[in-house]
Amino acid sequence: MSIELLLLIEDDNFLIIYNGLMAHASVNHLHLQTLFWPCKSGILEKSVKPKSTGWDWLFLLQRPDWYLPAFVFQLDDLTDIEKITKALDICVKLLIENGVAHNLFMCRSKQFKNRLNKVENIPNNEISKELVTIYLFPRKASKEGLFVGGSLTSTFVPAALEVAGLLPVYDSDFFASTNESEILKIFNERELMSDEYFEQLANKLINYLMDEVDEF
């Protein structure tokens, strides 16, 4: 349903997000949330280059291209909706089975350059097509919520918007005093998982999909 909703709404600023358990989900808010973000920023404007997995619709976003690793699904063929939905479901179940917290961020994003350049001889500066794109961010589990103890991590909570580089801040003093290095420090200390563990999860997912994808 969420993919169809993004397809129905043509405004590129429309987003769908989800915060999982231990990933800053609010009490009684374990559901998809929708919003219009007022400007292009964060991962919406950065030309990320996820690593290809061999499928046209599944990519791996890794450091240093972004500060959190992610499984990325991109829809450029409407006939792939069911396939992407099932693959995303498999990926989420893999994270749950391994006790991995996660955030989901859905948006419209430019078609990834590594795929376009492989399929079509189009210069990078002419690529403008925007597609439904789903970022699934695995992460360390967090026990903190909003405004706990008045610390930095209480006034800046890295949930689904924040891991995508969209940074709402709920405290005026923190907004006036913080800087990029402080924000990155919060991510580095609390929100990242190791590159090695993400690689293990990615290998598990790809191996499983190789056995299942033809049956979709």
Side-chain angles (χ1 to χ4, degrees):
M1 181 182 70
S2 55
I3 293 177
E4 286 87 346
L5 182 58
L6 267 172
L7 290 170
L8 286 171
I9 297 179
E10 296 182 355
D11 191 325
D12 291 341
N13 293 323
F14 180 71
L15 307 175
I16 300 176
I17 62 174
Y18 173 82
N19 297 315
L21 292 173
M22 307 301 287
H24 296 296
S26 301
V27 176
N28 297 327
H29 280 268
L30 197 63
H31 56 72
L32 292 172
Q33 303 174 60
T34 63
L35 69 151
F36 290 91
W37 190 256
C39 61
K40 287 288 186 182
S41 57
I43 209 166
L44 298 174
E45 67 171 354
K46 182 176 173 60
S47 297
V48 296
K49 299 178 182 178
K51 176 183 175 183
S52 175
T53 61
W55 291 296
D56 286 342
W57 40 267
L58 175 61
F59 299 83
L60 303 177
L61 182 61
Q62 296 172 287
R63 289 187 291 268
D65 203 42
W66 194 247
Y67 49 80
L68 279 176
F71 300 103
V72 188
F73 303 81
Q74 192 169 67
L75 178 69
D76 68 348
D77 186 338
L78 295 181
T79 63
D80 285 337
I81 290 179
E82 184 176 359
K83 183 179 295 184
I84 289 177
T85 300
K86 290 183 177 180
L88 179 60
D89 182 62
I90 289 171
C91 188
V92 169
K93 287 179 178 177
L94 172 69
L95 297 181
I96 293 173
E97 289 170 0
N98 285 271
V100 179
H102 52 277
N103 301 102
L104 185 74
F105 181 84
M106 301 180 64
C107 62
R108 288 182 180 273
S109 180
K110 284 185 171 58
Q111 190 169 21
F112 295 137
K113 294 177 181 179
N114 57 340
R115 187 202 313 174
L116 254 182
N117 292 340
K118 180 179 179 181
V119 177
E120 302 177 56
N121 186 23
I122 300 177
N124 287 345
N125 60 5
E126 294 182 13
I127 297 172
S128 59
K129 185 177 181 182
E130 294 205 338
L131 305 172
V132 169
T133 305
I134 305 166
Y135 295 90
L136 181 62
F137 292 97
R139 56 184 287 165
K140 290 180 182 177
S142 175
K143 297 181 181 179
E144 294 194 25
L146 285 169
F147 307 110
V148 178
S151 66
L152 285 179
T153 52
S154 300
T155 53
F156 175 78
V157 179
L161 287 174
E162 290 82 356
V163 297
L166 311 183
L167 308 178
V169 177
Y170 306 97
D171 181 274
S172 58
D173 291 336
F174 178 68
F175 179 81
S177 62
T178 195
N179 53 51
E180 183 178 0
S181 63
E182 289 292 335
I183 297 296
L184 290 176
K185 181 180 178 181
I186 293 173
F187 279 110
N188 289 332
E189 290 181 349
R190 297 181 177 271
E191 307 307 324
L192 299 181
M193 66 165 48
S194 70
D195 294 331
E196 293 77 14
Y197 189 52
F198 178 74
E199 193 74 29
Q200 291 176 24
L201 290 173
N203 288 335
K204 285 184 180 180
L205 175 65
I206 291 170
N207 289 335
Y208 187 82
L209 289 177
M210 287 178 66
D211 295 332
E212 299 292 330
V213 72
D214 290 336
E215 299 179 8
F216 288 174

